Amino acid sequence: MLPSRLAGMAFSKVVSPRLTDNFYGNVARVRFLKIPVQISAYFTSFMASGWAWGLAFVYLKNNLYSFPGLVIAVAFLLIAAFFDFLLSIFNSSQTKRIAAGNSAEATVKSLLRTSFRGKNCVIFNDALLAYSEEDKILTRQIDHILLTRHCGFVIETKYKSGLIVPSIDLPYWSVTQHGRVSEIKNPLIQAKGAARFIAKSTGVTLYPVVVFVGETSLSKGPANVTTLPDLVPYLFAMIDYHRSDMFDLPLAESTIKRLIKQGKHSTNNHLS
């Protein structure tokens, strides 16, 4: 028990901060690259709009009643509108959230692969599971599944910054950032739902875990809600606690693997 906990503590002090720095480095690079990309996009949109208006004026001036000239002018105006539409997508908050979420999942994926290498574990990342029940196909997307010799975990990754007040049963959690209070849906409910889905479809019992990636601090709450630096120590502590339990790792792996749809949602690492 002690060696595993010491390994978890050492990892959280050495490797985990390094991965955290890499995550923020990626975010910083995205923000740095965003400036010239935005300038280029605005310039392209401006030029397209300018050419559209200019050509529209020329064609209307020389061919006031010419239908082809009007069609060409409208076509260039549509091109300008298309560039404006692309720019609005690039600047949308939803696009930024998706990019941050993907980066957070990649960080946790690297964290798990690094910390559990050589420990006879199985990791599924971005797993899309599907099984049939009463002529219905039920699906569930899960960020990470970690299987060890003693127990297994369903890990839900969230990117969020601020002071978060987690709760077991409340549907929403409060988030305070820069003096402003907002709410997020309870991700622990999502993680528990994923664990129930696996238990119902495979008979394999996994423990739900939520990890926050970002400039996050947690108020008092469930132990299975953690931040990135504390994720690995928590997982090692849980493995130590269940060290005497019987967990059929090969059976769990093969059973879950049968439910995973092939494609991009099937990244699997067998870390023996």
Side-chain angles (χ1 to χ4, degrees):
M1 181 179 296
L2 184 58
S4 295
R5 289 186 176 176
L6 290 176
M9 294 173 61
F11 187 90
S12 65
K13 297 298 183 181
V14 179
V15 180
S16 184
R18 188 181 307 161
L19 288 168
T20 306
D21 293 341
N22 290 339
F23 172 79
Y24 289 118
N26 292 334
V27 172
R29 281 192 290 273
V30 169
R31 290 174 178 172
F32 176 76
L33 292 175
K34 181 180 175 182
I35 297 175
V37 170
Q38 277 189 326
I39 293 175
S40 176
Y42 277 113
F43 179 76
T44 303
S45 178
F46 174 78
M47 291 297 295
S49 299
W51 276 101
W53 282 108
L55 289 171
F57 176 78
V58 170
Y59 276 100
L60 290 176
K61 179 180 179 181
N62 297 330
N63 305 280
L64 184 60
Y65 301 102
S66 171
F67 180 74
L70 180 61
V71 170
I72 294 175
V74 171
F76 276 96
L77 286 173
L78 291 176
I79 292 174
F82 174 73
F83 278 103
D84 288 336
F85 174 71
L86 292 180
L87 185 60
S88 67
I89 293 178
F90 179 80
N91 284 327
S92 69
S93 58
Q94 182 179 4
T95 302
K96 296 174 184 177
R97 286 196 298 269
I98 292 174
N102 291 338
S103 181
E105 290 182 19
T107 300
V108 174
K109 174 183 175 181
S110 178
L111 178 69
L112 294 175
R113 185 175 62 248
T114 303
S115 59
F116 288 94
R117 182 180 289 114
K119 298 187 182 300
N120 193 21
C121 299
V122 178
I123 302 174
F124 296 96
N125 296 293
D126 193 18
L128 181 61
L129 278 66
Y131 83 105
S132 59
E133 181 183 64
E134 298 179 354
D135 298 329
K136 295 181 180 179
I137 301 297
L138 305 179
T139 61
R140 172 77 68 161
Q141 192 277 330
I142 302 175
D143 293 340
H144 316 279
I145 300 174
L146 170 64
L147 305 177
T148 73
R149 292 178 297 171
H150 305 289
C151 59
F153 305 90
V154 168
I155 303 174
E156 181 67 28
T157 298
K158 295 296 181 183
Y159 172 75
K160 197 67 179 178
S161 295
L163 174 62
I164 300 176
V165 182
S167 174
I168 296 177
D169 299 319
L170 291 180
Y172 292 92
W173 294 353
S174 67
V175 181
T176 304
Q177 185 179 21
H178 305 306
R180 306 177 69 176
V181 181
S182 59
E183 290 184 334
I184 59 171
K185 288 185 177 180
N186 184 345
L188 192 54
I189 295 177
Q190 182 179 355
K192 288 180 177 180
R196 284 195 299 268
F197 181 93
I198 293 177
K200 185 176 182 180
S201 57
T202 67
V204 178
T205 300
L206 304 179
Y207 296 98
V209 180
V210 174
V211 55
F212 283 98
V213 180
E215 297 176 351
T216 310
S217 58
L218 298 175
S219 180
K220 292 182 178 180
N224 57 341
V225 179
T226 181
T227 58
L228 184 66
D230 297 326
L231 174 62
V232 171
Y234 170 77
L235 295 175
F236 272 117
M238 284 290 290
I239 294 171
D240 284 340
Y241 181 79
H242 293 278
R243 189 164 296 277
S244 60
D245 294 353
M246 297 296 295
F247 187 81
D248 195 333
L249 176 58
L251 178 61
E253 178 188 8
S254 61
T255 305
I256 293 175
K257 187 178 290 185
R258 284 198 297 268
L259 296 182
I260 295 181
K261 297 188 67 175
Q262 297 301 312
K264 68 176 183 178
H265 297 281
S266 59
T267 305
N268 169 228
N269 293 306
H270 195 144
L271 308 178
S272 58

